[in-house]
């Protein structure tokens, strides 16, 4: 079961990476009833920080000595090309007198359906395919760590304004995931609420310009007998360089 679940997750990640490297004619895969609207094909690397709060849900059945709870700043790095976004974050925290590690890795593919507007301003319906891996170490054995992978789909609403000096967009969406623990047969679900605001500044004199943005992610897990029932709240800012 574990190998099959990991195979599904990495198949999604691999497919997203191939899409990100594909030539731009692939943009025709977007659902675009309005030909005047063109999805962003911006490519940039970025770095930033999350204010990350991770703790058990009320339904968590792990004993207090093995449960995980922390509030920390998590630095992250990312890469985006057009509809595909990769993100990796890492931090450490103190738990029961020892330093523990937390890891987040995510990849999101976003398609767009134009509801109204044109190339300059548009209201868009985004469709998301989202995969992530979250790790938070406990004070117990490897089997007590939170090592959970998830893959899911979602949708929401997006507004984009593409002006002469700045390409600005803001998006909010809900995603439902299928989740699985990396060291057991525990499976379950994981709803998430995500939001993002991004300003692309092509006329800033650094390579092809700067990307400035804000990210928000709330995610909750319900797995098996409740031992891995946790939730996390992340919000932070980033800066990137387009090339």
């Amino acid at each position: 079961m574990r190998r099959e679940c990991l195979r599904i997750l990495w198949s999604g990640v691999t497919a997203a990476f191939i899409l990100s490297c594909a030539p731009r004619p692939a943009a025709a895969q977007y659902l675009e009833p309005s030909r005047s609207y063109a999805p962003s094909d911006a490519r940039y690397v970025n770095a930033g920080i999350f204010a990350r709060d991770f703790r058990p849900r009320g339904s968590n059945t792990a004993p207090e000595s093995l449960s995980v709870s922390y509030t920390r700043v998590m630095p992250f790095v990312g890469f985006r090309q057009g509809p595909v976004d990769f993100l990796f974050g890492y931090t450490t925290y103190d738990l029961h007198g020892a330093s523990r590690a937390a890891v987040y890795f995510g990849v999101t593919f976003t398609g767009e359906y134009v509801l109204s507007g044109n190339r300059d301003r548009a209201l868009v319906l985004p469709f998301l395919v989202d995969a992530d891996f979250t790790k938070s170490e406990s004070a117990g054995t490897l089997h007590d760590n939170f090592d959970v992978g998830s893959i899911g789909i979602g949708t929401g609403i997006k507004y984009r304004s593409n002006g002469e000096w700045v390409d600005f967009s803001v998006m909010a969406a809900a995603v439902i995931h299928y989740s699985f623990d990396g060291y057991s047969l525990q499976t379950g679900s994981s709803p998430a609420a995500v939001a993002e605001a991004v300003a692309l500044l092509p006329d800033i004199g650094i390579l092809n310009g700067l990307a400035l943005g804000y990210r928000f992610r709330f995610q909750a897990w319900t797995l098996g007998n409740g031992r891995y029932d946790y939730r996390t709240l992340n919000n932070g800012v980033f800066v990137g360089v387009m090339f």
Side-chain angles (χ1 to χ4, degrees), residues 24 26-32 39-40 82-84 109-113:
R24 293 317 302 164
Q29 295 176 5
Y30 281 88
L31 300 174
E32 291 184 273
S40 173
V84 184
F109 174 83
T110 304
E112 296 181 355
Y113 180 88

Side-chain angles (χ1 to χ4, degrees), residues 67-155:
S67 67
V68 181
S69 179
Y70 61 89
T71 300
R72 292 288 293 172
V73 171
M74 173 180 277
F76 66 81
V77 294
F79 169 75
R80 174 171 293 179
Q81 175 155 0
V84 184
D85 186 32
F86 295 89
L87 197 65
F88 176 80
Y90 176 84
T91 192
T92 60
Y93 53 93
D94 292 329
L95 186 67
H96 298 302
S99 179
R100 316 291 178 181
V103 174
Y104 172 78
F105 172 70
V107 55
T108 304
F109 174 83
T110 304
E112 296 181 355
Y113 180 88
V114 181
L115 297 175
S116 65
N118 51 42
R119 183 179 296 272
D120 295 328
R121 293 179 180 83
L123 190 65
V124 176
L125 186 70
F127 294 96
L128 283 68
V129 178
D130 184 78
D132 69 87
F133 171 75
T134 300
K135 176 185 180 71
S136 291
E137 294 181 339
S138 77
T141 67
L142 289 176
H143 293 277
D144 298 310
N145 292 342
F146 185 85
D147 290 286
V148 175
S150 304
I151 185 166
I153 57 174
T155 188

Side-chain angles (χ1 to χ4, degrees), residues 162-195:
N162 186 12
E164 182 179 356
W165 304 104
V166 59
D167 183 346
F168 175 78
S169 63
V170 58
M171 183 271 295
V175 183
I176 183 66
H177 300 87
Y178 167 75
S179 299
F180 48 90
D181 175 63
Y183 289 97
S184 72
L185 300 180
Q186 304 290 328
T187 62
S189 63
S190 173
V194 298

